[in-house]
Amino acid sequence: MKKITVVGIGPGEEGGMTLAAIAAMRECDILVGYTKYIELVSPLFPEKETFATGMKQETERCREALRLADSGRKVALVCSGDSGIYGMAGLVYELSGAFPEVEIKVVPGVTAASSGAALLGAPLTHDFAVISLSDLLTPWELIEKRLRCAAEAELSIVLYNPSSKKRKDYLQRACDILLEKLSGDTVCGIASRIGREGETSCVMTLAELRETETDMFSTVFIGNPTTKRIGDRMVTPRGYRDV
């Protein structure tokens, strides 16, 4: 059987991986993925052959993974977090028409919204939206619309890719949009390098968040109007005590 398994590896350390993810990588012949992700998993499977590409080479990477599977190799295509949330699962399916004999299996992983929330406390106990601030594939105008709609709906919000070297002011711009609808005292948090060396988390207000620098290794959480700070943790009530 020709098969490719698209594997979500969670934050990247073994303790954050599912048993299914570990089994898929253990059973494969070759690990395929973004260079940084291969560096995270290859020490766990030193005997495995690897194929890695850098940023902006996602199509090449997925096509090569499918080609390898079509040739009879057992392929595990690894993705940070969850394989279907900003991961490669969708692209693999899009490219799969050229490899009709290859079966695709998707193994989920722990996305940064979940692992970062656990570091911060319980900020996502109620409805929430996940929005990437990267405009590499999504026009900034559409990102602005999504931010405004999420704030208008009083959803808790998780921001992926909050800033980078080329997008230093994007988080500040996002905060300015959110402050049109939300109070500057809205409870927010940042989780950085989740499950990796240098892991940190901190809770602050939306006004303070606007003045805070982040990077691509950070995930940002904006609470809804009911979110509160309990000690050094960020908590969004579900409303159970009112039932």
Side-chain angles (χ1 to χ4, degrees):
M1 177 187 296
K2 297 178 178 180
K3 181 179 178 181
I4 180 172
T5 306
V6 191
V7 183
I9 62 171
E13 42 85 32
E14 187 175 9
M17 297 178 190
T18 67
L19 294 176
I22 292 172
M25 289 185 283
R26 183 178 293 128
E27 294 166 7
C28 76
D29 296 327
I30 182 168
L31 294 164
V32 178
Y34 171 50
T35 305
K36 295 293 184 181
Y37 305 155
I38 291 297
E39 290 174 357
L40 288 172
V41 299
S42 56
L44 301 176
F45 306 96
E47 76 285 1
K48 300 294 183 183
E49 183 181 343
T50 62
F51 175 84
T53 64
M55 290 287 286
K56 301 183 181 180
Q57 298 178 50
E58 291 81 5
T59 299
E60 174 191 341
R61 186 188 316 148
C62 291
R63 186 175 285 118
E64 178 63 12
L66 284 161
R67 188 195 67 76
L68 288 166
D70 195 48
S71 72
R73 304 294 300 277
K74 295 179 181 178
V75 179
L77 175 60
V78 299
C79 311
S80 177
D82 180 83
S83 48
I85 300 176
Y86 302 118
M88 294 294 101
L91 182 54
V92 169
Y93 276 110
E94 289 183 76
L95 297 171
S96 64
F99 305 91
E101 295 183 9
V102 175
E103 176 188 345
I104 300 169
K105 180 179 180 181
V106 177
V107 175
V110 181
T111 188
S114 298
S115 54
L119 280 180
L120 289 166
L124 304 181
T125 311
H126 217 311
D127 300 336
F128 64 94
V130 177
I131 301 171
S132 170
L133 294 190
S134 172
D135 59 354
L136 184 62
L137 301 175
T138 305
W140 178 254
E141 293 75 18
L142 183 54
I143 295 172
E144 286 188 351
K145 178 180 179 181
R146 290 171 175 171
L147 289 167
R148 287 193 172 92
C149 288
E152 177 70 28
E154 297 189 352
L155 295 170
S156 296
I157 303 169
V158 184
L159 299 179
Y160 282 50
N161 307 311
S163 59
S164 66
K165 291 181 180 179
K166 294 182 179 180
R167 299 183 294 105
K168 285 186 175 294
D169 66 336
Y170 276 37
L171 178 58
Q172 188 176 79
R173 291 164 65 181
C175 289
D176 286 339
I177 291 167
L178 297 173
L179 284 165
E180 295 172 8
K181 298 292 183 181
L182 301 175
S183 165
D185 292 329
T186 300
V187 180
C188 298
I190 301 174
S192 298
R193 290 170 173 77
I194 305 164
R196 304 175 190 177
E197 184 178 355
E199 175 185 270
T200 62
S201 65
C202 56
V203 178
M204 64 194 69
T205 66
L206 180 54
E208 291 169 334
L209 177 65
R210 185 188 182 279
E211 307 303 324
T212 302
E213 291 188 7
T214 58
D215 56 27
M216 290 290 285
F217 298 103
S218 301
T219 306
V220 174
F221 295 74
I222 292 97
N224 71 23
T226 71
T227 302
K228 60 183 72 175
R229 183 169 185 162
I230 300 178
D232 61 352
R233 293 292 182 259
M234 179 181 179
V235 179
T236 300
R238 181 71 189 276
Y240 294 114
R241 296 180 66 180
D242 299 326
V243 175

